[in-house]
Amino acid sequence: MESSSDKNMGVPDEHPLVSFICNRTLHKGKSLPDGWKSTVFSRPGNDSKEHMFRALIIPTSDIEQLMASVETQKSHASGKIRLAATGGGAHKYKGELESRLNVQLIVVKELEATVHGLLVDSEQSVETQMLLCNVGTGVSLATVDKQGEVERVSGSGIGGATFWGLVKRLTQFSSFNEAIVAAHKAGVLGKADTLVEDIYGRETSKEIGLAPDLVAGFLGKLDSDNLTDADISAALLRMFASNLGQLAVFQARLLGVSTVWFAGGFVQSASSEDNAAEIIQNAIAEAVSFWSAGKLQAQFPRNAALLGAMGAIHVTINQEQ
């Protein structure tokens, strides 16, 4: 669940949920649990006023922890507050959050929130169509036009859950970041994949105009005896990035756009303690460049982890003005 509050939404500061969010977004000596992310930023609204955003991302599995922490102080709240939120947890736990925490949850559709969060984060207006590839459990491709209308145009069930499920099944890695970093540092590309040179031989591959190291079949050599977990993770990352790149490029060609933005849980899962996010983004960028023959560009938001929360509050404020 991604939630956010804004100083102009009529929020009583003494509400324990406001204190909970503020303490974790203003970094008052509070360390965040694994998987939690937060930020504070300001943006001008349509009313020309400066709006202060406090955005917090909480894994759905930790919502009970959030409710228990805030509920103990509920009696001290002066009144019900409104909270903009998005994501699966916001929908699933809406009733329980409202009753236990004395809040009115304004739930914004996840794709709409992500797209509008991208517009806020990139500080740009839409002159033509913008294409966003949102990579979470699955993959959704959405467009936004000059009027701010969001439309889901394509997608795939082969998403982040697929990648992580295969990693857990085929390797011993215990965390997402560990698998990504190991793939980059120790994985040997091609060891787990069937390459063109495995079929035609290296010299013949060149004669027929195909790169010898071009993948002919992902995971085609998965039964090899000399594979390491890092090799398998590297193959899975390249396979997944290639699929994303192909989907995005083909949709971009249909729409006539030259840039594709990537966001979502898969892109934003990395912590700040390693370079997993950079590894993922480079893999996706290479795939987009390959499938477009260098004609399309992959872009990544500065605050990819917070687009949903940013967009939820942005959409809510605009609807109320």
Side-chain angles (χ1 to χ4, degrees):
M1 184 186 81
E2 302 179 36
S3 62
S4 48
S5 65
D6 173 80
K7 70 178 183 180
N8 293 311
M9 288 182 68
V11 179
D13 290 338
E14 62 268 27
H15 193 288
L17 183 56
V18 173
S19 298
F20 183 89
I21 293 176
C22 287
N23 287 341
R24 285 152 183 80
T25 54
L26 296 178
H27 308 293
K28 295 180 178 179
K30 299 285 186 179
S31 59
L32 294 176
D34 290 341
W36 292 40
K37 296 180 177 68
S38 68
T39 193
V40 177
F41 61 98
S42 61
R43 293 287 188 276
N46 291 343
D47 56 1
S48 299
K49 295 180 180 179
E50 192 76 6
H51 292 264
M52 180 66 71
F53 294 79
R54 304 180 187 98
L56 182 68
I57 286 183
I58 305 169
T60 300
S61 58
D62 290 346
I63 287 183
E64 176 58 39
Q65 177 184 341
L66 163 71
M67 291 190 289
S69 298
V70 176
E71 195 174 26
T72 58
Q73 306 173 50
K74 180 179 174 182
S75 59
H76 300 296
S78 63
K80 180 176 291 188
I81 66 167
R82 293 174 296 141
L83 187 73
T86 190
H91 287 276
K92 185 175 181 179
Y93 294 98
K94 182 178 186 296
E96 191 172 1
L97 284 163
E98 290 185 330
S99 62
R100 291 178 61 179
L101 303 187
N102 194 29
V103 300
Q104 177 190 353
L105 208 63
I106 305 168
V107 181
V108 179
K109 293 180 180 178
E110 186 171 4
L111 201 54
E112 180 182 12
T114 302
V115 170
H116 283 279
L118 172 61
L119 296 177
V120 172
D121 182 72
S122 59
E123 297 182 329
Q124 65 181 36
S125 58
V126 182
E127 297 179 357
T128 55
Q129 278 188 312
M130 175 183 286
L131 179 62
L132 171 69
C133 184
N134 193 48
V135 191
T137 302
V139 180
S140 293
L141 286 100
T143 62
V144 56
D145 59 21
K146 289 186 291 186
Q147 287 72 43
E149 294 296 321
V150 178
E151 179 184 5
R152 186 182 190 275
V153 293
S154 186
S156 171
I158 303 175
T162 310
F163 172 83
W164 181 230
L166 288 171
V167 168
K168 290 189 292 184
R169 181 66 174 176
L170 298 174
T171 74
Q172 297 298 313
F173 292 121
S174 58
S175 75
F176 178 87
N177 282 14
E178 180 188 9
I180 295 296
V181 173
H184 176 69
K185 290 184 175 180
V188 179
L189 288 174
K191 285 183 67 177
D193 300 324
T194 298
L195 307 178
V196 169
E197 67 177 358
D198 295 324
I199 301 171
Y200 292 101
R202 191 166 188 83
E203 294 305 317
T204 304
S205 299
K206 296 177 181 178
E207 292 174 5
I208 62 176
L210 294 174
D213 60 352
L214 183 67
V215 177
F218 288 107
L219 305 181
K221 295 185 292 190
L222 194 59
D223 59 347
S224 299
D225 295 329
N226 63 340
L227 291 179
T228 66
D229 282 356
D231 296 332
I232 295 173
S233 183
L236 289 171
L237 178 59
R238 180 160 69 164
M239 177 178 70
F240 187 61
S242 178
N243 185 61
L244 284 177
Q246 187 178 45
L247 281 172
V249 168
F250 287 178
Q251 192 61 54
R253 286 175 175 169
L254 289 174
L255 298 171
V257 301
S258 59
T259 300
V260 183
W261 287 86
F262 288 87
F266 185 78
V267 175
Q268 70 191 27
S269 293
S271 71
S272 58
E273 298 177 358
D274 52 45
N275 63 336
E278 182 181 354
I279 295 168
I280 293 169
Q281 291 173 13
N282 286 341
I284 294 173
E286 288 175 9
V288 169
S289 179
F290 173 81
W291 285 108
S292 68
K295 296 179 180 179
L296 295 181
Q297 185 178 14
Q299 293 279 1
F300 303 91
R302 292 169 299 177
N303 296 294
L306 298 157
L307 294 188
M310 293 163 68
I313 189 71
H314 180 74
V315 169
T316 302
I317 289 175
N318 287 344
Q319 288 177 344
E320 293 180 352
Q321 291 175 351

